[in-house]
Amino acid sequence: MLRSRTNLHPYRVAFWAFALLILALALLDRHPIDLAAEDELSEGSWAPRRGRGDTAVILATEPPAGQATYGYAWVDLIEQEIGPVSALPVDELGAEVYQSFKTLILTADAASTQTAQSQVEALERFSAGGGTLLIELPQGPLRQTFGADGRGGWRQARSITAATGLEPDNLESLGRLPLLVPFKGSTEPRAHAETLLAMDGAPVIYAMRRGEGAVIVADADFGQLLTLIQRGASGPHGQVQQRISGRPPLASDLVSDLSLQGEEVPLADLLERYLVHHVLSFQHPVFALWPVPNGARGALVLSHSASSLDGRPLWRSMHERTLRARTPTFVPAPQSDRLDQAHHWRDEPGHAAFLWHPYPDEAELYQTWNLFGFTPLRRPLPLTEQRDRLSAWLGSNASIQGIRSAEGLWHQEHDAPWRAMDAAGLAYSASLGPSGQLQPGILFGTCQPFRATDSRGRPLRLFEVPICFEHPSDPDSIGQFQAALERAGQEGWAIHLHMNTDGIRSKDDLAASSAWHEALVYAERHQLWIGGPGELAAFRRQRSEAELKVRNWSVQTTMADGRPRVVEFIVEAATQHRGTHLVIPAQLGELRFDSVHRGEAAAQRPAMADRVATTPAQLLGRDVRLLQLHPGFTTVSIRFTR
Amino acid sequence: MARSLRQSWRRLPRLELWLSIIAAIALLIHNLGDFKLSRPAPPEEQQPAPAPREINQGDVLVLFPVASQSSSLQSLSTDQLWLNAIEREVGRARMIEAGSFTTNNLRDVAWVVVPRRASSQLERAQIDALQAWVNTGGVLILEQPEGPWRSLLNTLPVSSARRPTRNVTSFDGAITRGAVRDELLRMPIRTSIIPWTPDELVRGHDYEVYMEVDGLPALVSIPSGDGKVYMLLIDIGRAVANLTQGLTGEDFTLDQNPNEDASEFGPPFVAQMISDPLRGTIMVPFVDLLLRNLLLIPDQVRPIARLWAYPELHRGALLVTRTATEYASLSLELGQADSSRGYTTSYFISEGLLAPEHILRLARHGHSLELAATWADSHSAGRAITRSRTIFGHPWSVRPATMREQTTTLNNQLNPYPPAIAHRNLEGVWTTDILEGWSRLQAAGLLLDSTLGSDAGDFDPSLELFGYTHGTGHAWRPIDRNGNRFQIYELPVHSVDRNPGYSWPRLRRLIVESAERYHTTIVTDWRVDTLVEAPAWDALEGWQQVRALAHSQDLWVPTLSEYTTFLFRRLSSDISSTWDSEERLLTIKAQLPVSEAAQRADDTRTPAIAFPARIDGRTVDRVEVNGVDLDVNELSLSGDRATHLLATTPGIHEIKVWWGYGNLEIAPPE
């Protein structure tokens, strides 16, 4: 009765139910329900670190929550310029530390602690006994004992105006370094101190000889300066300040100062090298491990990105392999999790690295759930799932170590991408670099690996290797890149070039490919090291694990006036890898490098047979000699004569 | 019953029914939106190969047989391939049909070539005339003679004992020495040989063996009076045809290719035409090497002068071509990049893929614009070039465009620049009947095809095809089923950057060896889509460096248009010689015309003149050009050191060459 009145036949109900279902599915297919997905984030570690070298960086103990410290930049700096380094919390400062190390760096955070300030006498004894002590922003008793009066207050300098020992060309470059932190001014210079570095004419780094050692004071937070330049600057609470609103943050939004646009010199590297090879070597020579593999005079670091998996995305890496370089090509995860695609380049997964889409919805990277051919439900793929999908697609031989954030995209939280990459167990990232509207150039002051840190300044395991030149295609950027590469070959810098490996579709691509081609030819001809960021990061890690200690030094003979005539240094080095070279200064004040002999006994009875060959090189305008270290333990005596 | 039906109809949910019908129609329209009627292709115009016309100039006379239509590959007459060989090595040949040959035709002739089929069509009297002429110092090259030749040869090979061959096993008579001669011994030779072991003749006394195939004499010389007969016991024409023109089925057809589910068969690929032994990376032009060595031997009896295959003293040629399929804007930019370096390229342009203004801009920069076409009836799916009929601007029926239509369209777009003269198939496919392909191209007014050879992996993406896959580095005219040569030239591609066999080091070697050893024309194809879809260092590096390398090796780097113009100009040039054996003096008369139009276009290239570097071990003593002595020490040598080269200018020249005592350590007669 009811059915006939309302015409509610069962097939009619079924029809409309089916129609509604299809309609609902079609609507959901066009506007699917997006489930939330979060990236897992790791935390930095403040654990003490014992390296097998002569230098220790004294850091504050665990920084208070919500506060950032910058002392780790000194650890990174020593690791880059010397190799082995120790990072110790200030409460470990004691007799054992004074005996174990020849150089101590008291970072600003550590120097502000009561523990450090209560160690003034011990620190005096350490320097008088032959140690080199660098104190950053000394306070209280430390300032009274070692520093200038500091009564000038905080001052913001415009540029570095003097750097003792630095040749004019490099000084001019250093003068372009953006001074993002103030320095502590004084009303008068410290008595008997030699100014090593001045900002706007005021001494900022000065040194005093104490007994056989020296005390060096830095009246600016160089750790913070280097951190801001290399890791980028962000706003309050670690929020990235976008230069153009209305789009996701870019890595180039982290660039600390726009004056770095078009820069051809790695200014942060230049400052670091100056701090080690001119400042820390004020009293005693600094023996270091050469920063480029195989003792090459410079490095051309190459990485590539492909926007899709089609075609031959690895073609540039495959060619570079013929030059004995293992360079990565960052490729994205496939949009589908079907693994039936067959590409011949999957036989070469060793070159593939991971191009991460931090905003997977924009790249259509979803985990989907299907019904009747419709997709009503989906979830954006977080970093680890993108990586896993790429690994599965590449096959069992894939071992993804490197990552790059696609299109230079970043996150609102400054440290979030690095922490996500670190949590995924990746070894290095090549995400910082030119992107967006900024002019190309060495925007982060370095092209060399540095350890990424979280927003509190704690180091992660991940290395960041910033890109300095991105697919240069117009004459200006090609010219800048070529000038930077030429300079890298002359002064031992690394230049990181990143190329797009999508097909050559335009005149710009042709020009960029020609620039890449010429760079490879130049690097080969000038014997630069060619490799990938992962290789360089691995070399950096190997160097830091090596041993490098000056066991002893002695004056063998003296002049009539008592000045030393022949000085011998016994240096112990141990490495497990090939391609490591010891850097020996060619000049020690009035003394010149004479020879290197194998073994300790050679110091007393040098024989021609024990003599080891060295090759000349230049480091920041100074002559040095390079000694090849073979895997294993090496003891050499290095002789300087007048 | 009727009431019940009416009730059921009333009960039917009409709204749902109508909605279902509307949904079904909407779905149909959605799926058939691009539907067009497909019309069959109109029959393609064809133009069979013309019968050769008699030519009465030149040192070398080639007799050709009476043309006859052959229904199978086995019965195909390959005699006219000798004309290709003579034209390549010497220049334009004298030609006469065997039946019309008389003693008068032997006047001022140095060599006579009697190919296999023609040899059987000569009468006894004609052979006697030839014998008398040989006795006076003539050179007769005879291929597998059949007929009344016994009087001349004292013996006759038994043609019924003919058997198939495999390889050259020795070539002691080759002028080429060293590594290049060793290459000859690797030559696959798929033809027939007639075993010949005359009991009544003594080897070394009555005859000499110059070449052996499968251990049997393949080329022997038999002295006769002051002259010599060179008898080929192998069917050289067949061997050359098999390698250059390709092996097909007996009915001249190639197998079609099944698609993925074997439901349809697609057209054959040109890669299928490559003879099995040459399917790979072939760095030696076996056919060129064999023919050059064969034709250098008779110089020792009666030297002749030759027109070198290239202008000035170029040692070979490089033709840089680019098949522009898609990515029109990149084609233009690549063209501009070439122009900015002073280079010109031959572009194979496919209809509809490059805007007319872009075509004109490329032509304006001096690039040669040629036709990349598809066959109307045998194209691969997706790349058809079509003609359509429209209603209100909407195409409702389409059919494939014919070769002539595609040629006409491109030529119209090229106006006022010269029309296209060359063709390359866009998809690397050919007609099922291979002879039909050339016949259609010839009918469309094209002069040269460059489709055969290496491909872009169309046939098999993993099949490496590189180098002389058709055994030659020269343009040649294919043979039609009636035994006549087409007018159109075929010039196979040696290097395609998209092919897995391509690498820049390989191409470098090919070019260097072309200059130093083989003097061939290397054809490269740098495809526009390679850089976009499969970029590779070697493709980029090769394209950027190849011309500089070619120039450094003294190769000629023309466009296809310049090359073809030169090819025809060389064929219209005449060269003849007289030989004074007493004085060892060769007097060469060369007539090298250049048309007024070419002169206006400042294209006055004429071929160099070549003559033997040694006669009986004696080197050239003196050379006089138009009455002026040349410094013999300045004479250029070919890579095999067999011939000297002399650059020429347009016009008529008389050149005298004396061979003296150069390297012979004997005193000159007093």
Side-chain angles (χ1 to χ4, degrees), chain A residues 9 11-12 15-16 311-312 315-316 319 501-508 510 513-514 516-517 520-521, chain B residues 11-13 15-16 19-20 327 329-330 333-334 336-337 531-537 540-541 543-545:
Chain A
H9 300 294
Y11 49 79
R12 200 165 194 178
F15 176 87
W16 283 109
R312 302 186 60 197
W315 70 281
R316 293 194 202 267
H319 171 69
T501 67
D502 292 338
I504 296 170
R505 291 172 185 271
S506 65
K507 196 161 75 179
D508 283 355
L510 274 175
S513 289
S514 294
W516 167 67
H517 170 237
L520 289 174
V521 172
Chain B
R11 277 207 303 272
L12 262 176
L15 176 65
E16 286 82 352
L19 281 175
S20 302
Y327 314 108
S329 62
L330 185 60
E333 282 165 2
L334 292 170
Q336 285 171 345
L531 293 181
V532 180
E533 293 170 358
W537 165 275
L540 198 61
E541 175 82 348
W543 163 58
Q544 291 184 332
Q545 303 294 328

